[in-house]
Amino acid sequence: MEQEAGEEPGLGRSTAPKDFHFYHMDLYDSEDRLQLFPGESSRIRREVTQAEQTNEPRGTVDSKNLQKEVDELVHLYGLEDDHELGDEFVDEHRLGTLGYPSYGMRRKDSARDQRGWGLSSEAAEAEEDLGYGGQGLPGQCQDLREAYRYTHGRASEEYECYVIPEEEDEEEPADVFCVTCKTPVRTVEKDFEIHKEHEVTPLNKALESAKDEIHKNMFKLEQQIIEMENFASHLEEVFITVEENFGRQEQNFESHYNEILETLAQKYEEKIQALGEKKKEKLESLYGQLVTCGENLDACRELMETIEEMCHQEKVEFLKDAVAMTDRLGKFLKTKTDVELSAQPEFEDQTLDFSDVEQLMDSINTIPAPSAPVINPQAPNSATGSSVRVCWSLYSDDTVESYQLSYRPVRDSSPGKGQAEFTMTVKETYCSVTNLEPNTQYEFWVIAQNRTGPSPSSEHAVYMTAPSPPTIISEATRSCEEAALICWESGNLNPVDSYTVELIQAETPEASGVTESVVGIPTCESLIQLQPGHSYTIYVRALNVGGTSARSEPATVHTTGSYFQLNKDSCHPWLTISEDGFTVVRGEKKTFRRELPPTKTQFTRCVAVIGNLIPVRGRHYWEVEVDERLDYTIGVACEDVPKQEDLGANCLSWCMRHTFASTRHQYEFLHNRTTPDIRITVAPKKIGILLDYENSKLSFFNVDIAQHLYTFSCQLHQFVHPCFSLEKPGSLKICNGISMPKHVTFF
């Protein structure tokens, strides 16, 4: 057994109880280790020396001597009565492997569990003789106790064992899905217990199904969120409109009531002032009359007193004074005394005129007619092919109960007079007008109304509906391994701004959305770069200022090979193209009374037709099924090849020609009326044609036996197209959109 680093010679590893894993934690140097037994160091050194001389393991110590020494130490430290120690001692194997008790253990805090037992004087003297000097004695004694317990297979309360649980075998993961319970299970479980008769499916299939279901639910949730957002927006607009209307009503009431209070205060001041003036006037008149009456009364009293005095006089004196008094009295009596009231005491009925106040009160419920609304310009994406959303605004001080929205179509790019007008009443400051024509301009104007009357009309604004969806022309769609040429019809009478092509890979779930979009296409065709070996679903949308049209009907494009259609405009009248567009048939010879006029597009002399190959430089491959007894010419030609000449008879065509006479087959590879001397022993029934722009080559192959026939080395400065000619009645079947065979790929 190898020695551990820092382990004392003569002591082996301690043996831990079964099912426990102990790790060596004593990393002290041998000189720093606690000496458990007196004379241990000298004894260990002797054993090491002896082991090195005899090549014996250091753990082979006389067990009897060791047991005797331990028994002496137990007696020395008074451990016989300790109830925690057993009566049996360790067996010979454990005694032979006794080491420091920290193997696989960690010391706890010794102060936590002091037992209070000390050492006898005999033990203390023995410790001093062993060189401990009385220092660290309790700790050493404790170490001894633990060593003793450990040799008996027990762990001290002051040590903790690290127990490392054995790793359980990992449970086999679920690999199928129980459709009934809707939970993943293992294959071994599906034939037992509750899943025995349940429907199960592969986990991957269940995962894809769950993802599809989640995608569908997410799409529905998104639609519901959009509807709720639109409804919330509508509620918000109504809320704001109601709040503004009531705010204006409150301001109107407050203004009118303040005006009424001011009018009443003014009338009060006027009436009080008028009453004061009338009071003063009457009192002054009555007071003047009262003073005059007092003066007359005093004069009457004075006369009465004078007359009474005259009556007591003698006759002579009486007569003298009587004449004068009579004149005086006559004059006084002749004076007219005013005994009528100058001012009547009755109060006049003061009628208050509240007509103007009543007018003001009536005007509280009378609001002014609103001002003319302001119609907003059309917002982007605010229209569909049959509807448009019109918005307007009004002055904040106006109170409006409803709006009248009027519209009419615009013809010839000018607001039409005499066109049919349509009017609708709405409550909000917006309206979605439906049942309109696609890609058409409409003229809108709006009038606000309240109980007082209508407002002036707003300015007229022109809105436009979104276009109709385009129509993809499947017959004109061409593709190759790297691109596709998509053609479509607008479907709109008026021009649109642009088009957008959307592509979805067939391998991509529909819910995951569009793989790629090509935007801003000005014309009705687009050449789109694609990835080889895929299938694409293609949609086209039209755009104008009003918004985007709905998707067109889908078209499928494959990039497994070159796909093209035959150009019917170039077809000679004697040839017929099948409905699928891939078979050329020449019937019995027809005669014409006069020759066909020459054209730049249609073959008139050579009974031929040309195909529309996608204008992409690269490698294009197609095959032609032929009859061994048929006279035919196949190859490629430029678009402007002379239509009055045979194929291969000019510098714009490269062709393979076959003629059959009796039992002899003749093959020619023609370009500019020249052909190499080549013999073909096996007549091909299917001919493969490889057009390689990159290497400027045109190659022909016998597909059935994978034989190369001939290759043209030609400088193709312009795009070329497949061409086919039949010199006798028969048919040619074209196979395109196929992958290149291996013998062609590595050619």
Side-chain angles (χ1 to χ4, degrees), residues 192-258:
F192 300 97
E193 300 178 355
I194 60 175
H195 306 291
K196 185 174 182 180
E197 297 180 355
H198 291 178
E199 180 184 357
V200 296
T201 184
L203 197 61
N204 293 336
K205 184 177 180 181
L207 180 61
E208 292 297 329
S209 177
K211 286 183 178 179
D212 293 342
E213 186 68 22
I214 290 175
H215 283 307
K216 292 179 182 178
N217 292 334
M218 287 178 63
F219 179 75
K220 294 179 181 178
L221 184 60
E222 288 176 356
Q223 296 297 324
Q224 186 173 357
I225 290 173
I226 293 173
E227 293 179 1
M228 294 303 296
E229 287 178 347
N230 293 336
F231 181 68
S233 177
H234 173 67
L235 286 180
E236 184 178 1
E237 292 177 354
V238 173
F239 180 87
I240 293 173
T241 302
V242 171
E243 186 180 21
E244 290 177 352
N245 286 338
F246 275 94
R248 288 192 293 270
Q249 290 282 3
E250 291 173 358
Q251 292 177 0
N252 189 26
F253 287 160
E254 184 178 359
S255 174
H256 281 76
Y257 276 115
N258 289 337

Side-chain angles (χ1 to χ4, degrees), residues 302-313:
E302 182 183 357
L303 289 174
M304 286 294 294
E305 290 176 356
T306 303
I307 292 173
E308 287 179 357
E309 289 178 357
M310 287 175 60
C311 288
H312 291 89
Q313 291 178 358

Side-chain angles (χ1 to χ4, degrees), residues 483-664:
L485 180 63
I486 312 299
C487 301
W488 60 87
E489 294 178 349
S490 173
N492 296 275
L493 296 177
N494 299 322
V496 301
D497 294 343
S498 63
Y499 298 93
T500 297
V501 176
E502 298 177 352
L503 301 94
I504 301 177
Q505 284 192 14
E507 299 81 359
T508 305
E510 183 73 19
S512 63
V514 178
T515 305
E516 182 182 356
S517 294
V518 183
V519 300
I521 304 172
T523 60
C524 289
E525 66 176 28
S526 178
L527 182 62
I528 304 171
Q529 299 297 320
L530 302 175
Q531 296 295 326
H534 291 282
S535 295
Y536 292 87
T537 302
I538 296 179
Y539 302 90
V540 181
R541 297 179 186 264
L543 288 83
N544 64 10
V545 67
T548 306
S549 73
R551 282 178 170 178
S552 66
E553 292 296 324
T556 303
V557 171
H558 306 280
T559 56
T560 53
S562 296
Y563 177 87
F564 60 88
Q565 294 276 353
L566 296 177
N567 187 352
K568 295 181 180 180
D569 295 335
S570 67
C571 185
H572 190 279
W574 291 357
L575 294 180
T576 304
I577 300 175
S578 62
E579 293 183 0
D580 60 5
F582 300 115
T583 302
V584 180
V585 180
R586 177 175 178 175
E588 294 298 328
K589 185 175 181 180
K590 300 179 181 179
T591 59
F592 296 96
R593 295 181 180 178
R594 57 181 179 177
E595 293 185 0
L596 296 173
T599 64
K600 294 183 178 180
T601 58
Q602 185 181 24
F603 288 95
T604 56
R605 183 176 182 276
C606 178
V607 184
V609 65
I610 196 170
N612 288 328
L613 189 64
I614 184 171
V616 174
R617 293 189 176 273
R619 290 162 65 92
H620 302 275
Y621 178 79
W622 64 94
E623 296 176 352
V624 183
E625 294 182 3
V626 298
D627 188 350
E628 297 179 2
R629 301 175 179 271
L630 183 65
D631 292 352
Y632 58 85
T633 302
I634 57 176
V636 298
C638 296
E639 188 173 1
D640 57 349
V641 63
K643 304 301 188 293
Q644 292 77 34
E645 297 181 5
D646 292 334
L647 295 176
N650 48 65
C651 61
L652 298 178
S653 56
W654 296 260
C655 301
M656 171 183 174
R657 181 182 180 185
H658 170 257
T659 56
F660 178 75
S662 178
T663 59
R664 181 174 177 272

Side-chain angles (χ1 to χ4, degrees), residues 319-587:
L319 291 174
K320 292 180 179 180
D321 293 335
V323 175
M325 179 59 64
T326 301
D327 294 337
R328 182 180 175 186
L329 184 60
K331 291 180 180 179
F332 179 78
L333 292 175
K334 289 181 180 179
T335 304
K336 186 177 181 180
T337 303
D338 188 7
V339 291
E340 293 182 2
L341 294 176
S342 60
Q344 295 299 325
E346 292 84 6
F347 291 99
E348 296 179 2
D349 187 9
Q350 299 292 330
T351 303
L352 298 177
D353 184 9
F354 288 104
S355 60
D356 51 353
V357 177
E358 290 176 357
Q359 262 184 342
L360 290 174
M361 292 294 293
D362 293 339
S363 67
I364 292 178
N365 297 324
T366 302
I367 56 178
S371 303
V374 179
I375 194 164
N376 301 337
Q378 185 173 9
N381 299 320
S382 61
T384 66
S386 60
S387 67
V388 65
R389 181 183 174 91
V390 185
C391 300
W392 58 89
S393 58
L394 67 159
Y395 292 105
S396 59
D397 294 337
D398 292 339
T399 300
V400 178
E401 296 178 356
S402 63
Y403 300 92
Q404 281 191 349
L405 178 65
S406 303
Y407 64 95
R408 62 190 173 200
V410 176
R411 302 297 182 188
D412 300 329
S413 300
S414 62
K417 299 232 176 175
Q419 297 286 346
E421 294 184 2
F422 304 90
T423 302
M424 53 197 313
T425 302
V426 295
K427 296 289 187 180
E428 295 81 14
T429 57
Y430 63 91
C431 180
S432 293
V433 184
T434 58
N435 299 324
L436 303 178
E437 295 294 329
N439 200 37
T440 303
Q441 290 182 334
Y442 287 86
E443 183 183 11
F444 290 89
W445 64 95
V446 65
I447 296 174
Q449 289 182 325
N450 59 21
R451 67 182 65 181
T452 304
S455 72
S457 173
S458 68
E459 296 290 335
H460 290 212
V462 175
Y463 279 58
M464 191 170 189
T465 54
S468 298
T471 303
I472 298 178
I473 307 173
S474 301
E475 296 79 8
T477 300
R478 294 167 274 172
S479 63
C480 62
E481 292 185 351
E482 300 175 353
L485 180 63
I486 312 299
C487 301
W488 60 87
E489 294 178 349
S490 173
N492 296 275
L493 296 177
N494 299 322
V496 301
D497 294 343
S498 63
Y499 298 93
T500 297
V501 176
E502 298 177 352
L503 301 94
I504 301 177
Q505 284 192 14
E507 299 81 359
T508 305
E510 183 73 19
S512 63
V514 178
T515 305
E516 182 182 356
S517 294
V518 183
V519 300
I521 304 172
T523 60
C524 289
E525 66 176 28
S526 178
L527 182 62
I528 304 171
Q529 299 297 320
L530 302 175
Q531 296 295 326
H534 291 282
S535 295
Y536 292 87
T537 302
I538 296 179
Y539 302 90
V540 181
R541 297 179 186 264
L543 288 83
N544 64 10
V545 67
T548 306
S549 73
R551 282 178 170 178
S552 66
E553 292 296 324
T556 303
V557 171
H558 306 280
T559 56
T560 53
S562 296
Y563 177 87
F564 60 88
Q565 294 276 353
L566 296 177
N567 187 352
K568 295 181 180 180
D569 295 335
S570 67
C571 185
H572 190 279
W574 291 357
L575 294 180
T576 304
I577 300 175
S578 62
E579 293 183 0
D580 60 5
F582 300 115
T583 302
V584 180
V585 180
R586 177 175 178 175

Side-chain angles (χ1 to χ4, degrees), residues 149-177:
R149 289 176 181 155
Y150 191 79
T151 58
H152 284 72
R154 301 177 182 178
S156 171
E157 294 179 358
E158 298 184 4
Y159 294 88
E160 291 180 349
C161 296
Y162 290 99
V163 180
I164 301 178
E166 295 182 358
E167 296 183 357
E168 298 181 358
D169 294 336
E170 294 184 359
E171 186 178 356
E172 182 181 352
D175 51 1
V176 294
F177 183 79

